[in-house]
Every structure is written in C-alpha cells, then in structure tokens.
Amino acid sequence: KQEVTQIPAALSVPEGENLVLNCSFTDSAIYNLQWFRQDPGKGLTSLLLIQSSQREQTSGRLNASLDKSSGRSTLYIAASQPGDSATYLCAANRDDKIIFGKGTRLHILP
Amino acid sequence: DTEVTQTPKHLVMGMTNKKSLKCEQHMGHRAMYWYKQKAKKPPELMFVYSYEKLSINESVPSRFSPECPNSSLLNLHLHALQPEDSALYLCASSPPVGRTYEQYFGPGTRLTVT
C-alpha cells in the first residue's frame, strides 16, 4: 500500500530565502508525482506534475524533482515571498488513485 | 474553460435533510472524483468515475450517493448525514491523455451537518 510522507510538517522562514520541501513515497510504481498548494479553506491548486519518466519540472520560482528509485521528490521554492504562505501537498498517482501526503504548512515571515 | 466548478460553496444541513453537491468541468476530461477533507488533513478519496461509470468506491457509507449524468457533470447526493460528515468536499477531474492522470481540483463545498 502506497504511503506518502512529507517533511517537515511545518516550516517558517524569512522572506527572500530559498527553501526545500520533501516528499517520500513507498511504492515506486507511480505514473506521476503532483505538487499542490492549498490556502486555508480553499481547494487545491496544481503547481507541478512530474511524469514517472521525468526527473524534474520547473515553473517560475518553483522546481520539483523526482527520484523514483529512492522514492523521493522535492519542491524547491526560490526567493520566497509572503504570498507563498500556504499548505503544500504532494501526491503520488497510480491509475485513478492518488495518495496524498499530510502536507507541509509553510509560513513566510515578512 | 479550464476550471472545475462546484456548487454550492457552503451548505448547512440537518441530519434528516437531503441535499446534493454539484461539480462541473468542460475540459473534456474523462474521469471525475469526489474527495472529503477534514481540517488540517489531506484529501481522502471517496469515489471515482471513469467515462461516466463508477470505477472506485472507497467503502463510503451509503448516505453518500454519487451520480454522473454525463461526462461534464458529477453529483454527490447526501441523505441522513452525521455531524462527523462535516468537511470540505472537493471535486476533481482528470484528462484522457495517456497515463498523465493529472488532477484538476475545484474550490470545494464546505458542508456543515447540524
């Protein structure tokens, strides 16, 4: 059974710093790994999707990497801003079922 | 149209009421999903419809009844709910592109059962 773990559970950093969020998964037979952002009480916004055959994806200040063999993905956020404050969820996707991690609550200090 | 819409945004219902949640997408996606999310927890999969047929039911109580009338519309019918069913209900859809399985989420319906 797929298990997805995110570390750390919460993170506070000063504005402008670069940071890394970690995601690990137990079953490497995934189709893709998807990173989401969720603001309090809101739906999920897809940030990046990495196909199982890819190593990384980039969008603006965000870069996500995938290492299937070790069961790990990272989300790198460059030059963090207060607007980046949210919960970040990673999800391992196989067939029609995606398994979410519990998320990292990120707080960027102005 | 590149979004998933959900109505209503908020719903308060008594334990004896019958209500429905609605989800729509007009992106030609072939799969649609219902998730339940409690506060500070990740979304939990409830149901999956693929090509308008129920393909996954994650052992959800029968007081939740999904329906997919067509490829763009997904409903969740609610009856005799319990206070512990209060949560954010999220709908998602996924395109028919190979094995992408990328999921697009709606804004959710905040349900309160009194």
Side-chain angles (χ1 to χ4, degrees):
Chain A
K1 180 182 177 183
Q2 178 74 275
E3 293 184 4
V4 179
T5 303
Q6 291 188 246
I7 295 174
L11 181 64
S12 292
V13 300
E15 180 179 2
E17 285 199 3
N18 304 325
L19 57 99
V20 175
L21 307 182
N22 297 291
C23 172
S24 62
F25 47 95
T26 55
D27 183 356
S28 62
I30 61 173
Y31 289 154
N32 62 56
L33 194 292
Q34 198 166 354
W35 282 93
F36 295 90
R37 169 188 172 136
Q38 187 173 32
D39 294 290
K42 305 294 185 181
L44 277 67
T45 300
S46 180
L47 297 173
L48 289 164
L49 178 141
I50 313 176
Q51 301 286 4
S52 61
S53 59
Q54 297 174 324
R55 298 282 292 180
E56 65 177 311
Q57 282 288 324
T58 298
S59 176
R61 295 184 292 110
L62 306 179
N63 176 277
S65 68
L66 176 64
D67 184 343
K68 275 186 59 178
S69 62
S70 66
R72 293 181 179 181
S73 177
T74 61
L75 179 66
Y76 175 83
I77 302 177
S80 58
Q81 302 171 357
D84 295 330
S85 297
T87 295
Y88 291 79
L89 295 152
C90 72
N93 194 332
R94 178 173 181 171
D95 295 322
D96 270 330
K97 298 184 70 169
I98 63 172
I99 306 299
F100 285 89
K102 292 184 177 181
T104 294
R105 293 188 306 281
L106 177 64
H107 184 206
I108 305 300
L109 305 168
Chain B
D1 190 346
T2 59
E3 64 176 357
V4 177
T5 60
Q6 290 186 244
T7 54
K9 290 184 179 180
H10 302 276
L11 178 62
V12 179
M13 60 184 292
M15 290 189 287
T16 59
N17 291 158
K18 288 185 179 181
K19 296 287 185 182
S20 297
L21 309 184
K22 180 180 175 181
C23 173
E24 275 191 283
Q25 57 85 15
H26 297 285
M27 297 178 279
H29 287 180
R30 56 98 198 152
M32 298 184 76
Y33 312 76
W34 281 116
Y35 290 86
K36 173 183 178 179
Q37 187 178 26
K38 302 285 279 186
K40 297 188 178 181
K41 299 288 187 181
E44 297 177 357
L45 182 65
M46 299 175 71
F47 303 103
V48 181
Y49 274 83
S50 182
Y51 296 106
E52 302 171 45
K53 292 186 178 179
L54 183 64
S55 59
I56 296 176
N57 177 342
E58 291 287 274
S59 302
V60 178
S62 60
R63 58 186 184 268
F64 296 91
S65 176
E67 178 194 21
C68 189
N70 58 59
S71 60
S72 300
L73 183 58
L74 183 67
N75 297 318
L76 185 63
H77 302 298
L78 314 172
H79 174 55
L81 295 191
Q82 303 298 310
E84 58 264 30
D85 296 321
S86 298
L88 181 67
Y89 287 83
L90 295 164
C91 174
S93 67
S94 184
V97 181
R99 287 183 160 184
T100 303
Y101 293 112
E102 181 172 5
Q103 297 205 4
Y104 296 72
F105 280 79
T109 293
R110 172 71 61 188
L111 174 67
T112 303
V113 182
T114 61

